[in-house]
Amino acid sequence: MIMRLIKKLRSNRLLIGPAVLFGVALVAFSVLTLTQSTAKAQEALVSTNPNDIAAGAVLYSEHCQSCHGYEGEGGVVSGAPSLVDKGAAAADFYLTTGRMPLNAANNEALRHHTIFTPTQIRQLVAYINALPQITGKGGSGPTIPTVEPLCSNQGTLAAQSEKGCVTLSEGQQLFSINCAECHQAAGSGNILSNGNVIPSLNNASLTQVAEAPLVGPKPMPIFTELSNAQISAIARYVVYLHHAPNPGGFAIGRIGPVAEGFVAILGGFCLLWFAARMIGNRG
Amino acid sequence: MSTTEERIAAQKRYRAAKAGTDTVDERLGSSKFLTSVLDKIFPDHWSFMVGEIAMDSLIVLIVTGIYLALFYVPSSKEVVYAPTSGHVYIPLVGQKMSEAYESVINLSFNVRFGLIMRQAHHWAALIFLAAVFFHMARIFFTGAFRKPREINWIIGLLLWQIVALEGFTGYSLPDDLLSGTGLRVIYSIIESIPFVGTWLVYALWGGRFPGTSLIPRLFVVHEFLFPLLIIGLLTAHLMILWHQKHTDFPGPGKTETNIRGSRIWPQYALKAGGLMMLVSSVIFLLAGFVQINPVWIYGPYQPYTVSAGAQPDWYLGWQDGAVRLWPHWEFRSFGHEIANPFFPGLLLPGILLSIMFAWPWIDKKIYKDYKAHNLLDRPRDKPFRTGVGAAAVTLFSLLTMASGTDIIANNLHVSYEAIVVALDYLVIIGPVVAFIIAYKACQRLQEADFHPIQRPVGGVIYRTPDGGYHTVGDVHHGPSHDAPADTSASHGAGDNGDGGAGSGSERSVSAPAAGD
């Protein structure tokens, strides 16, 4: 049976081209995913390699210096903050989310496509991390946090007594107390006064969510009272929400009753209204 | 043509059927009732069916509601979510929550048909209220509330209010973060009533917010008190409609004392039945494909948490919008303060509703028309009333929009303050502009006397002596032309019995501006 199938395929020369293409694509895909995962693993570390710092200094002078000053001391004219005491977490957060560099000094720092490659970001982060030593001013900012893993037996009460790991339940509670007021319960984002946008968390990576409460990207405050375990729990929960079981159908943006009202009136009632028009006499 | 055997067989069948109906009839006397009921005639303009959409949604609500009530636990007792079998929503495991919220989570994840029933229940409520608003607007714009139907207008308004409250209590029952926030707002609004507010709110909640007595009380109100009131008032609404007979638009062959349309059996029953199937299908399609109120994401209600984008369901949006837009005024005198939420939360809706309740009598005064009417007004023939209606629709729409200021600002990338300031002005200017536009449009339409998007259809074709053809007039509006020959025979005769409250005048068309 199988032999006959193979024979049939061999006789069908049309399939050879697609098969070769598929094979090449498979190899390319696996190579890319493997290299990318190694790059990600490196990204989590803050490099102290002098080569990286030197490369970062070059990138800094090209892209950052005009606002943040010669050695990250901040700009008097541009109003850009000093970077000496901001730490690696801030540099990593602003660069990986594409918030920096800004197009113009008075623009709001919003999530954007990043212009740097992961390697360049690692070099820049290394340079900014080394700024306190370079300038000799001392002071230190938060480093890139290590997000604690999820407990193994999620979904049971036993998970709560496990040590060295975080639970989604903890994350959900901490998220509703600390984050949902602005980011909305599902992390869909909202708006504040003075044109301050609260970003949706749907694209935020694990590290980025963990960095934000340490960095406090304005208007978001710095959450000094949260421990690393608590921040890890929140980050794990937010990333869980990206692919959480979502029964009940299409989520219409997860922004609550306003969207539901629109669908009910425009989708449900209008359909029935036309049905009534079809059934009834239109004279 | 038929053979003797066939005739005998037909007679047998008839006798058998008659024996069957007679058995029932001799005991219940139902034939006479049924004959009159099934021969009842309803006019079949499409807009009269929108009220039925509301009624059909109510039926879906009752059916799904009964199913939900089997699994819902009305209790504020604190429990720890730790299901040992079935589906588990992991981020809630180990959290403290009320038994009510836990039962809704289990209902959504572990009860067969639970989630689709809950979603159908919620979608049906939203569509129900949309149909109620449309129906109300139809009654208003066509003057169907005039004598003898003032009582039914009032019953209808009461129904609207009770249905909206029923919706709100349902929104509050799951005890999730969103419903708790809604209850907190209502608590503050009731508390702001001068002098009695604090006492009232303590009596309703059985103590301070949030307390543990409210959820069981809401359950009783949502499942017994309000449904009984709704069904009772709806029965009265329909019985009065039945007794007074349906109104109809003026048209050829239609008078104040007759009704033209379809009999209940079979035509109207099939139409209404078909619409009912469509209503339930649309509701269940939405319930199956579109998620509504994912309570598991909101999490259990804790008084110290809140989520951004907390809105009521759309039909209460206008009241929420009023609260959002109202300036920060507070009045203090003689050592007593009237708190801010009182004005937008209760006083403004109170004034608007009072005007609506009184409208049939205001309308009588305006038009000095105290007579009974069974023929409807075309909106264009009463420019002032239409203008007032347009102003009201504009005000309600703007206030509803104000309820979603943050969502609108975020999604349209507009500044939040700009939207609030714009709406602050628009709720004052918008209704006035809407009134003027509607008023002027009515006057222009009266002059033109045809719908702007519908050119008049030529009714009568004239052939000129030299062989040319031209059409004159519009059969729908011209009183000078007779009813077209193809309309079905008037069923009015059977329905003239008690004659409504019609004046019996011989006018066939009441539109004053009709004719050419």
Side-chain angles (χ1 to χ4, degrees), chain A residues 191-254:
Chain A
I191 198 164
L192 278 180
S193 50
N194 296 321
N196 286 310
V197 172
I198 302 157
S200 148
L201 302 179
N202 294 338
N203 299 316
S205 75
L206 198 62
T207 316
Q208 287 164 358
V209 178
E211 281 165 350
L214 302 173
V215 172
K218 279 175 185 174
M220 179 168 159
I222 299 175
F223 285 75
T224 42
E225 70 281 8
L226 290 178
S227 70
N228 188 51
Q230 289 176 318
I231 286 174
S232 304
I234 291 173
R236 292 280 174 196
Y237 175 68
V238 169
V239 171
Y240 172 85
L241 274 186
H242 296 172
H243 302 290
N246 189 32
F250 183 51
I252 44 174
R254 270 199 191 145

Side-chain angles (χ1 to χ4, degrees), chain A residues 88-216:
Chain A
D92 188 58
F93 178 84
Y94 275 100
L95 292 171
T96 54
T97 58
R99 282 178 164 76
M100 289 289 154
L102 288 177
N103 280 336
N106 54 353
N107 276 8
E108 195 183 354
L110 294 176
R111 179 176 270 276
H112 214 276
H113 295 294
T114 174
I115 64 162
F116 300 111
T117 63
T119 323
Q120 287 175 319
I121 289 175
R122 195 157 45 89
Q123 290 162 344
L124 270 169
V125 170
Y127 174 70
I128 286 165
N129 187 49
L131 274 179
Q133 287 91 50
I134 293 169
T135 55
K137 281 182 185 163
S140 68
T143 187
I144 298 176
T146 324
V147 179
E148 291 181 17
L150 276 176
C151 294
S152 50
N153 42 2
Q154 286 290 323
T156 59
L157 287 177
Q160 288 180 316
S161 48
E162 254 180 79
K163 291 273 174 282
C165 60
V166 294
T167 63
L168 290 173
S169 159
E170 213 182 325
Q172 201 276 340
Q173 289 175 69
L174 287 164
F175 186 85
S176 19
I177 296 170
N178 294 296
C179 320
E181 287 87 336
C182 293
H183 286 286
Q184 206 257 356
S188 312
N190 208 296
I191 198 164
L192 278 180
S193 50
N194 296 321
N196 286 310
V197 172
I198 302 157
S200 148
L201 302 179
N202 294 338
N203 299 316
S205 75
L206 198 62
T207 316
Q208 287 164 358
V209 178
E211 281 165 350
L214 302 173
V215 172

Side-chain angles (χ1 to χ4, degrees), chain A residues 172-187 190 198, chain B residues 171 176-185 209 297-311 324 406:
Chain A
Q172 201 276 340
Q173 289 175 69
L174 287 164
F175 186 85
S176 19
I177 296 170
N178 294 296
C179 320
E181 287 87 336
C182 293
H183 286 286
Q184 206 257 356
N190 208 296
I198 302 157
Chain B
Y171 172 92
D176 61 315
L177 186 52
L178 201 57
S179 50
T181 309
L183 281 174
R184 178 67 236 189
V185 174
F209 186 86
I297 286 186
Y298 290 115
Y301 181 60
Q302 308 290 355
Y304 47 84
T305 60
V306 71
S307 163
Q311 266 92 12
R324 284 181 183 221
D406 50 341

Side-chain angles (χ1 to χ4, degrees), chain B residues 20-281:
Chain B
T21 51
D22 280 354
T23 316
V24 180
D25 194 34
E26 279 159 15
R27 284 158 185 81
L28 300 175
S30 48
S31 320
K32 196 174 159 220
F33 173 72
L34 274 181
T35 319
S36 71
V37 164
L38 296 180
D39 276 351
K40 179 93 178 169
I41 282 162
F42 273 104
D44 34 23
H45 191 262
W46 67 270
S47 67
F48 305 157
M49 304 193 89
V50 177
E52 281 174 45
I53 296 179
M55 202 174 71
D56 297 337
S57 314
L58 178 65
I59 293 166
V60 175
L61 278 164
I62 291 171
V63 172
T64 52
I66 289 171
Y67 190 79
L68 298 177
L70 296 175
F71 302 100
Y72 177 75
V73 183
S75 155
S76 295
K77 208 183 101 194
E78 196 175 75
V79 291
V80 172
Y81 180 71
T84 48
S85 63
H87 296 281
V88 180
Y89 187 66
I90 293 170
L92 293 176
V93 172
Q95 288 204 40
K96 286 176 184 161
M97 55 181 66
S98 68
E99 227 178 335
Y101 181 72
E102 191 200 28
S103 71
V104 177
I105 295 294
N106 282 333
L107 171 71
S108 306
F109 286 103
N110 275 330
V111 171
R112 201 171 292 274
F113 307 125
L115 184 58
I116 198 170
M117 286 293 192
R118 193 169 74 75
Q119 298 207 127
H121 196 69
H122 206 144
W123 283 121
L126 298 191
I127 290 173
F128 186 5
L129 264 298
V132 165
F133 273 88
F134 188 97
H135 179 65
M136 196 157 66
R138 198 269 296 173
I139 300 290
F140 182 87
F141 282 112
T142 57
F145 54 80
R146 292 173 301 170
K147 191 181 173 186
R149 294 181 176 79
E150 304 98 324
I151 299 170
N152 239 7
W153 169 254
I154 286 173
I155 291 178
L157 287 177
L158 286 174
L159 268 170
W160 165 39
Q161 282 309 298
I162 294 169
V163 162
L165 283 173
E166 171 77 348
F168 179 75
T169 51
Y171 172 92
S172 306
L173 279 178
D175 202 25
D176 61 315
L177 186 52
L178 201 57
S179 50
T181 309
L183 281 174
R184 178 67 236 189
V185 174
I186 295 294
Y187 186 92
S188 299
I189 289 176
I190 300 175
E191 207 179 15
S192 72
I193 301 174
F195 307 110
V196 295
T198 337
W199 304 100
L200 195 62
V201 89
Y202 261 56
L204 286 174
W205 260 259
R208 285 191 193 183
F209 186 86
T212 51
S213 351
L214 189 72
I215 293 288
R217 287 180 187 183
L218 277 180
F219 181 70
V220 174
V221 168
H222 185 77
E223 316 251 323
F224 299 103
L225 181 62
F226 285 160
L228 281 179
L229 279 173
I230 290 169
I231 293 170
L233 284 171
L234 183 65
T235 311
H237 202 60
L238 295 179
M239 279 172 73
I240 292 172
L241 160 82
W242 192 277
H243 172 73
Q244 294 178 335
K245 295 171 186 65
H246 208 288
T247 52
D248 200 356
F249 287 106
K254 291 171 181 175
T255 70
E256 287 283 2
T257 52
N258 76 358
I259 292 175
R260 305 189 65 183
S262 313
R263 284 172 204 274
I264 283 213
W265 189 261
Q267 297 100 317
Y268 208 80
L270 288 178
K271 286 183 176 190
L275 186 63
M276 189 173 171
M277 310 252 174
L278 278 169
V279 171
S280 34
S281 354

